[in-house]
């Protein structure tokens, strides 16, 4: 999937979390956040690849960037 914005990245991460079956409470515990902290992270405007990979690593996934010419 092509990701063009922080909103796209956030959507992909949310979709992958849902597909994995892990609850957001369990995910937040595994990454050392409160449930509210996880929600804030997922809503921040500057949601980054580092943020995404921090969460996705729990479900053995990751995202990478590619530079097109």
């Amino acid at each position: 999937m092509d990701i063009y914005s922080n909103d796209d990245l956030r959507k992909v991460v949310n979709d992958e979390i849902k597909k994995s079956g892990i609850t957001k409470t369990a995910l937040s515990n595994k990454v050392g956040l409160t449930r509210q902290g996880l929600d804030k992270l997922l809503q921040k405007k500057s949601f980054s690849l580092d943020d995404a990979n921090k969460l996705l690593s729990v479900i053995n996934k990751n995202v990478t960037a590619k530079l097109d010419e």
Side-chain angles (χ1 to χ4, degrees):
M1 170 182 212
D2 290 331
I3 298 171
Y4 297 102
S5 68
N6 287 344
D7 289 335
D8 291 346
L9 180 59
R10 190 177 6 267
K11 183 179 180 335
V12 167
V13 170
N14 271 314
D15 290 349
E16 291 301 319
I17 290 168
K18 286 177 189 171
K19 282 190 224 174
S20 76
I22 192 170
T23 65
K24 285 189 175 179
T25 301
L27 178 65
S28 64
N29 288 335
K30 289 184 182 239
V31 296
L33 296 170
T34 64
R35 174 57 201 269
Q36 293 86 357
L38 175 63
D39 289 339
K40 283 182 182 180
L41 178 64
L42 287 168
Q43 293 170 4
K44 80 179 195 175
K45 287 190 184 246
S46 59
F47 190 75
S48 69
L49 288 175
D50 288 338
D51 296 328
N53 284 323
K54 178 179 181 177
L55 301 177
L56 291 173
S57 68
V58 173
I59 57 173
N60 299 314
K61 300 227 175 195
N62 71 342
V63 291
T64 59
K66 159 179 108 165
L67 179 63
D68 290 331
E69 294 189 33

